[in-house]
Amino acid sequence: MSATPQKPTAENKVKLSDIAKQTGYSLATVSKALNGKADISDTARRTIDKALKDSGYVRRISPERKQQTIEVVFRDFETIWALEVLRGIIRETKQHGINVMVAESGDRQHPDSAWVEGLIERHPIGAILVFSNLTEKERDLFKSHNIPFVVFDPSGSPTLDDLSVQADNWTGSVIATRHLLELGHKRIGIITGPDEMLCSRARLDGYSAVLAERGIPTSPELIAEGDFTTPGGYEGAMALLEDEHNRPTAIFAGSDLQAMGVYEAARQLKIRIPEDLSVIGFDDIQTSAYMGPALTTVRQPLQDMASTATRMIIDTTEGRTIQKRVILSTSLVVRDSTRRLTHAKA
């Protein structure tokens, strides 16, 4: 008479490590089969499924995680920039059958506490915080509920234990400023982002470092603080361009959205781009190539950054070792909004 599989009891509980030993597959592969992952062979899946069934292993679905979801929190979701980020996240989650939930909450430093409390109740597999970060107490809360989070383009310096993704803002600013200097511009204005944001300070530092490298002092009158929006770029440009006899010959806008504001200010002041004013942006959002003239900009790989942040959450939940802080490179995209300065203007 053949023996029937013994049901597991409190004293005789089947572990996944036992199934791994029995089948000869790794613990990771057994876990993938158990959780219905697609990236294992049919043979491995059938063998592991049979061993699980024969052992009496009962698959349990946590009531907290009936659906796999990643939550993304923005301060606001009104810009093309935010859409680019979301596209990168969806590009990655589609490959893994994961849902995405988007929320608007808080400011650049911190999401609303109500969102944090709600997220703990919803219990997604992870969260992506755009700009903002968590308090120490909230970090502990996320950790105790096994919810990893990634800070996307952190507004401040992330802690050593935080997962974060950002672009190389300093180098991006350096190559933008050098491009303008190589075109003969020496009087270069800059419209920064908010001073409290890490990326804003990095871009201003890169700009100042290149000017110092060429022996050109940084002039406060050529620096306007913006907020990475089109209205902020417009206001900054009007401040820089209002003195007709003391205008910069080029403006480095801290974002493509701000560059749009520069274009509008120039139009109102009857300043031609690039004949009278060279303009360079930062981000390379989709619309930058279709501006009139097409915008020279620093490409920040927003979709790749967002995909990377998503993979960091997936890898963490699946027990892989990951790099905690990722910085992706930036590059210059030269189009039609920058031009060599003529001798007459020099």
Side-chain angles (χ1 to χ4, degrees):
M1 187 166 123
S2 61
T4 57
Q6 186 178 5
K7 295 267 184 191
T9 65
E11 295 75 33
N12 182 29
K13 188 175 181 181
V14 177
K15 297 178 181 177
L16 292 186
S17 56
D18 298 330
I19 302 298
K21 275 186 193 175
Q22 181 183 333
T23 60
Y25 290 103
S26 69
L27 184 58
T29 302
V30 172
S31 178
K32 286 180 180 180
L34 181 64
N35 290 291
K37 299 295 183 183
D39 54 338
I40 64 170
S41 69
D42 289 339
T43 301
R45 189 184 304 283
R46 285 193 296 269
T47 303
I48 294 167
D49 282 348
K50 184 176 186 306
L52 288 166
K53 182 179 179 181
D54 290 347
S55 70
Y57 187 90
V58 179
R59 298 172 190 253
R60 290 193 177 124
I61 301 175
S62 168
E64 294 180 311
R65 287 191 178 175
K66 291 179 182 176
Q67 289 187 328
Q68 288 195 316
T69 302
I70 289 177
E71 291 205 21
V72 189
V73 60
F74 293 86
R75 183 194 68 151
D76 61 63
F77 192 69
E78 297 178 350
T79 65
I80 300 169
W81 186 96
L83 182 60
E84 290 285 293
V85 174
L86 185 59
R87 288 180 67 198
I89 293 169
I90 292 174
R91 184 177 75 189
E92 192 66 30
T93 54
K94 278 178 67 176
Q95 299 178 39
H96 300 271
I98 296 171
N99 298 319
V100 179
M101 180 180 289
V102 180
E104 285 186 324
S105 177
D107 54 29
R108 291 188 180 95
Q109 280 70 50
H110 188 264
D112 291 336
S113 57
W115 175 81
V116 175
E117 292 167 5
L119 180 131
I120 297 301
E121 291 179 7
R122 292 185 294 272
H123 207 272
I125 65 168
I128 298 174
L129 287 72
V130 180
F131 299 143
S132 57
N133 213 323
L134 300 176
T135 65
E136 197 61 43
K137 183 178 178 181
E138 288 166 346
R139 284 190 183 92
D140 292 341
L141 190 63
F142 273 53
K143 188 175 181 180
S144 67
H145 284 80
N146 196 28
I147 303 174
F149 70 93
V150 179
V151 184
F152 182 96
D153 200 6
S155 59
S157 296
T159 70
L160 294 176
D161 291 330
D162 285 346
L163 303 180
S164 66
V165 179
Q166 64 191 93
D168 189 346
N169 292 289
W170 187 85
T171 299
S173 178
V174 165
I175 59 179
T177 310
R178 281 181 177 162
H179 173 65
L180 294 172
L181 286 168
E182 286 163 4
L183 293 176
H185 299 278
K186 294 181 181 178
R187 191 165 176 77
I188 302 169
I190 182 171
I191 304 173
T192 69
D195 184 59
E196 71 272 11
M197 293 189 67
L198 186 66
C199 62
S200 302
R201 297 195 298 272
R203 292 172 197 178
L204 179 59
D205 288 346
Y207 160 88
S208 300
V210 173
L211 292 183
E213 179 182 85
R214 301 292 179 92
I216 302 171
T218 302
S219 302
E221 63 183 15
L222 291 177
I223 300 173
E225 183 177 342
D227 58 2
F228 290 144
T229 68
T230 300
Y234 171 80
E235 291 176 10
M238 291 300 280
L240 293 172
L241 299 171
E242 61 184 351
D243 184 351
E244 183 178 351
H245 303 290
N246 208 26
R247 290 172 177 166
T249 61
I251 290 179
F252 173 26
S255 72
D256 289 351
L257 293 175
Q258 289 190 154
M260 292 180 188
V262 175
Y263 273 45
E264 177 56 21
R267 185 190 68 81
Q268 291 185 15
L269 295 171
K270 295 182 170 47
I271 297 172
R272 298 171 302 166
I273 298 173
E275 292 85 353
D276 305 321
L277 178 72
S278 285
V279 180
I280 189 165
F282 200 109
D283 287 330
D284 195 26
I285 58 176
Q286 278 190 325
T287 53
S288 62
Y290 302 100
M291 292 167 63
L295 180 66
T296 296
T297 188
V298 175
R299 182 174 185 272
Q300 178 176 213
L302 291 172
Q303 290 193 36
D304 292 342
M305 291 161 62
S307 294
T308 298
T310 308
R311 282 197 303 273
M312 290 168 80
I313 289 175
I314 295 169
D315 288 347
T316 299
T317 58
E318 295 184 352
R320 299 188 187 95
T321 302
I322 63 170
Q323 182 180 339
K324 289 188 175 182
R325 187 172 185 178
V326 177
I327 301 175
L328 298 185
S329 61
T330 48
S331 57
L332 184 66
V333 181
V334 179
R335 297 193 179 104
D336 302 326
S337 65
T338 50
R339 175 181 288 190
R340 180 166 297 280
L341 188 66
T342 64
H343 290 296
K345 292 175 185 173

